[in-house]
């Protein structure tokens, strides 16, 4: 099993806007290729300008295959501009 832990940092005061944009334009496309994330987290204390995604893959080959498919998905390409 491979866990892909990603922490994203946004400008102060923009977290809600960033999450709304991601939910609207990116999250469903990623879930279509990656499945449900193990975790999608925000903090209420400490560094409140970050959020975390944890995706689970069988191994590095599975991760590469799924990410390769995502990068060919027209909906993802449109949303990532």
């Amino acid at each position: 099993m491979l866990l892909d832990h990603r922490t994203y940092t946004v400008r102060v005061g923009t977290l809600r806007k960033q999450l709304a944009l991601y939910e609207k334009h990116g999250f469903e496309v990623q879930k279509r290729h990656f499945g449900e994330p193990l975790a999608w987290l925000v903090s209420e204390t400490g560094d409140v300008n970050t959020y975390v995604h944890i995706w689970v893959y069988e191994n590095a080959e599975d991760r590469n295959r799924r990410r390769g498919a995502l990068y060919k998905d027209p909906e993802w390409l449109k949303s990532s501009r």
Side-chain angles (χ1 to χ4, degrees):
M1 177 187 313
L2 176 70
L3 298 179
D4 187 355
H5 177 277
R6 299 192 172 232
T7 302
Y8 299 92
T9 303
V10 298
R11 284 183 285 173
V12 174
T14 65
L15 182 63
R16 288 180 193 258
K17 181 179 179 181
Q18 172 65 29
L19 294 178
L21 286 169
Y22 176 61
E23 258 190 291
K24 182 176 180 181
H25 298 289
F27 191 49
E28 289 302 318
V29 180
Q30 281 190 305
K31 285 193 332 183
R32 193 167 51 239
H33 293 280
F34 301 165
E36 288 289 333
L38 176 66
W40 195 48
L41 311 165
V42 296
S43 178
E44 293 182 357
T45 61
D47 191 352
V48 296
N49 300 310
T50 62
Y51 63 102
V52 173
H53 293 177
I54 303 174
W55 300 93
V56 179
Y57 303 97
E58 292 177 28
N59 51 40
E61 183 179 324
D62 179 44
R63 178 185 178 277
N64 290 339
R65 181 181 52 77
R66 290 175 187 247
R67 290 185 69 79
L70 175 71
Y71 294 146
K72 292 177 185 173
D73 186 312
E75 190 175 347
W76 177 257
L77 295 174
K78 180 181 171 188
S79 71
S80 63
R81 287 186 190 159

